[in-house]
Amino acid sequence: LAFDGLLNFQNLLATNQQIFQSPQFAKLNDTLSNQSLKTFQAILEDLRQDLSAGPESVSRLDYITRRVATTDANLGKHKQASDVIDQACAWMKERLDATNLSGESTQSTQTALQLNYGRLRALQGSLEMRQGKFTESQPKFQAVVETIEPLLQQGVLDTQDAHQARIVLMDAWSGLSMYQAYHGDPNEAKRLQQNAINWIGAEPPRNTDEALTRMQVHGNMAILHQKAG
């Protein structure tokens, strides 16, 4: 609860850009960021010692990592944001590899590890694109496709998780597409952007953020057609 309160206060500052960017709050923001990082590291260390961590623990790590990384990115601490995601993803990948070898993990735990690994890599790629690091973002988006697409094809996700997975996959395909548009093959860019559109299909958006994401994907396709003449 204390950690949630800390993150909620950071979000309050982040949503008020005048306060968030004010020099007088720089020290406070830095203190909150450092405390969040320490809490994240303590939680991750606990998980490293817990060999029976289940889906709830995996989802909790995803939640904490996303909140800390997003806040750090808003503060301009881009390396720290990326490092937090790398640490969480490394734990998920190690646990997934270990469970695949031992066969002791439940299907739900393996699914949670794959899904949340993909979600975090998608966030990392998006944060890098926001900085203009298009080349660096590509391996992250490719990892999303390789991780999330099989989950959807296998039909192992419940309705809510499948919906979130399609949103994440749509974002990844779009990120791969826009890189090709400006640094590669325009025709390949259109093919990848169409993959983004195909995966979400006609399913209606569930909130404003999803609606805006879909608008951006279709807008990207319009830009690609305009560039192609």
Side-chain angles (χ1 to χ4, degrees), residues 51-53 95-96 98-107 109-110:
L51 299 180
S52 60
R95 187 56 56 93
L96 187 60
T99 56
N100 285 338
L101 288 174
S102 66
E104 295 178 356
S105 176
T106 64
Q107 179 63 54
T109 299
Q110 292 186 45

Side-chain angles (χ1 to χ4, degrees), residues 30-108:
D30 193 57
T31 299
L32 292 173
S33 173
N34 290 337
Q35 184 58 52
S36 297
L37 179 61
K38 290 178 182 178
T39 305
F40 161 81
Q41 291 171 336
I43 292 171
L44 183 58
E45 185 58 34
D46 286 343
L47 285 174
R48 286 172 176 151
Q49 305 303 319
D50 182 7
L51 299 180
S52 60
E56 296 80 8
S57 297
V58 177
S59 296
R60 178 64 173 168
L61 179 61
D62 169 76
Y63 167 79
I64 291 170
T65 305
R66 294 173 69 82
R67 297 289 294 274
V68 173
T70 301
T71 300
D72 282 344
N74 287 337
L75 288 169
K77 296 186 174 184
H78 301 296
K79 184 180 186 305
Q80 183 165 297
S82 186
D83 287 346
V84 165
I85 295 174
D86 279 339
Q87 290 176 54
C89 285
W91 176 83
M92 291 180 183
K93 189 68 165 58
E94 289 170 5
R95 187 56 56 93
L96 187 60
D97 291 343
T99 56
N100 285 338
L101 288 174
S102 66
E104 295 178 356
S105 176
T106 64
Q107 179 63 54
S108 60

Side-chain angles (χ1 to χ4, degrees), residues 143-157:
V144 175
V145 172
E146 294 171 357
T147 304
I148 298 297
E149 199 167 50
L151 287 178
L152 288 167
Q153 292 170 338
Q154 294 161 16
V156 297
L157 301 175

